Amino acid sequence: MYIKWLLILLTAVRLARGQPGRCDQTPPMAAATAASENKDIYHLNIIQNDRPMEGKIHYTPDQTYVLKITTSNLTRPFKWFMMTAEDPDVDDKIYEFGAKTLDVGVLKTLDSSETRYSERCFNSVEAAKSTDKSDIEIHWVSPKQSEVKDHKVRIRVTVAENNEAWYEGENLTLVLYKDNKKSPDSPPYPPRKTCNLCSEARYEVIFNGKWSRVAHPRFYPSKPDENGYSHMIGASHGYDYYLWLQGSSAGMGIKDLAETNNTTLLEDDIIANMKEKSGTRTLIRGKRRHHPHMAKPSHALFRVDRYHHMFSIAVGMRPSPDWFLGTSRFELCTDHGWLLESERPMYPWDAGTMNGVSYESEPTLTKPVDTIERVEIGSFNKDSPFYQMNLNDLKAFAMLTVRRLDVYPLPNSECTVEGEEQQPGEVEEEPVEEGDKEDEEEPEEPVVGESRLNLNDPTSCSLSEWGSWSPCTPVDDVCGDGFRTRARYRGDRTTKHESFDYQVTQQARPLSTNCEGDQDAKLVEYQNCFVDCYKIARLQ
């Protein structure tokens, strides 16, 4: 008896919410049991740039599209409609209760007085009242990104002219195909587990901010004098390490950078993971930029090798709930040699730790913590800067350029000799030596700390005395609370075996080695400090 009542209850729920099979869109007021011939009067289109899309239509995952039902004859409006997003193979499928269905995206009603969500079919919207309509708009948010390459969605519409005539079919049905092209901010090459290039390379990475009232006018911060980017923080690293990753939870370093623009924890993590044949190699650190200098470039130098052949960076945005810009696992090792040059636009990412819909939203703690995802583009919240906006329509918040400067052959390495061939679509440039660039701003922060030690030499594993403390670096750049560092080094710096390569302005941050016994010894120490704002004001 209990099972019988349970089945009745489940059946009632299914009937109330609609079944996952093909939706019966027969109008409830229809006197005719079959649809009439449309004769090219009623149409369903996807509108882009105020014009219907034609031909085979491709959609980008997790984007907003405008679906529009129109009549080509204004003397023949329609009184009722129903729109359904569905699996194109639904006609031939038999669904078991509880079976996982295809992600077909979400239909969104725009006018609650004219439209409503259907109670008899899944993923369906219908007319709320029988009034004459010459056109109606419904927004569709496409399916989330997935591994399915041949993902298709069918949008099917029925319209009723009156109780006697209703229409469906070719002009009122669209099949949409997933666009498998990478998003414009994706790195040009996928990460690779191994790199067999017999060389090291030196790169420059440049972050050019583009966030402005002109480019991003909707809900631009009301106090632009408080706008700013954090330091550009990143690392060259191996396949086993990631600074941040879409779909994964943010580490404490990314959380702190995204919420407060503090980079200390992220730098500590990069330094702690410095290893000879895995983890990180170079700490990337570029200048922070505040209004009105946010358009000035922030740049840094770094090195890569066959073990550390990719790089990642992150830049915090202020104000924002927990948004940041960056790139993750950017591969530089290719079949043609080290990548020559690449430029990519940058769009905001959401760290998933704080709730907030706009730049100046009062943030609240996200419970439970979400994963790192792109900031909700195409949001249906009218308080969002990205309200009903596609990624293709959004202007870049920054441009990131990575450029190869030098290549250093390693003839004795156990690897495959690569060909330094010109890559398709790229321009070979003459190697740029330091000092050759006119008016280039010198980095004011530690750029790279790395060592190349002779591990067969016992003196390479010895630790030097601590160096002197660096000047105090205020968190806010000018004065107030800050930190300073001091470092020591592996190896006897007076012996002929020493071959450290540092580019230092304030304090070097050396790369640890795999020396036994003292592998975990600390090479860099931090200390809190304070710069007196009153004294600075008097000096100025």
Side-chain angles (χ1 to χ4, degrees), residues 5-20:
W5 281 107
L6 179 61
L7 290 174
I8 293 173
L9 177 63
L10 292 176
T11 302
V13 171
R14 292 179 69 185
L15 290 174
R17 295 186 58 200
Q19 303 222 13

Side-chain angles (χ1 to χ4, degrees), residues 37-98:
E37 186 180 354
N38 190 349
K39 295 183 179 179
D40 204 32
I41 298 173
Y42 304 102
H43 295 266
L44 168 66
N45 289 294
I46 286 190
I47 305 300
Q48 190 172 60
N49 299 324
D50 298 325
R51 298 184 63 183
M53 295 177 65
E54 298 178 350
K56 186 175 181 179
I57 300 175
H58 292 83
Y59 71 85
T60 302
D62 203 18
Q63 297 294 301
T64 301
Y65 292 88
V66 177
L67 302 170
K68 193 168 186 177
I69 308 170
T70 58
T71 175
S72 60
N73 186 344
L74 295 180
T75 65
R76 297 182 63 178
F78 55 95
K79 291 183 177 295
W80 183 90
F81 79 93
M82 186 173 186
M83 178 184 293
T84 301
E86 60 192 2
D87 181 351
D89 299 326
V90 68
D91 304 338
D92 304 318
K93 284 185 177 180
I94 299 176
Y95 289 88
E96 298 292 335
F97 182 76

Side-chain angles (χ1 to χ4, degrees), residues 36 210 273 448:
S36 302
K210 301 293 183 182
N273 281 280
V448 56

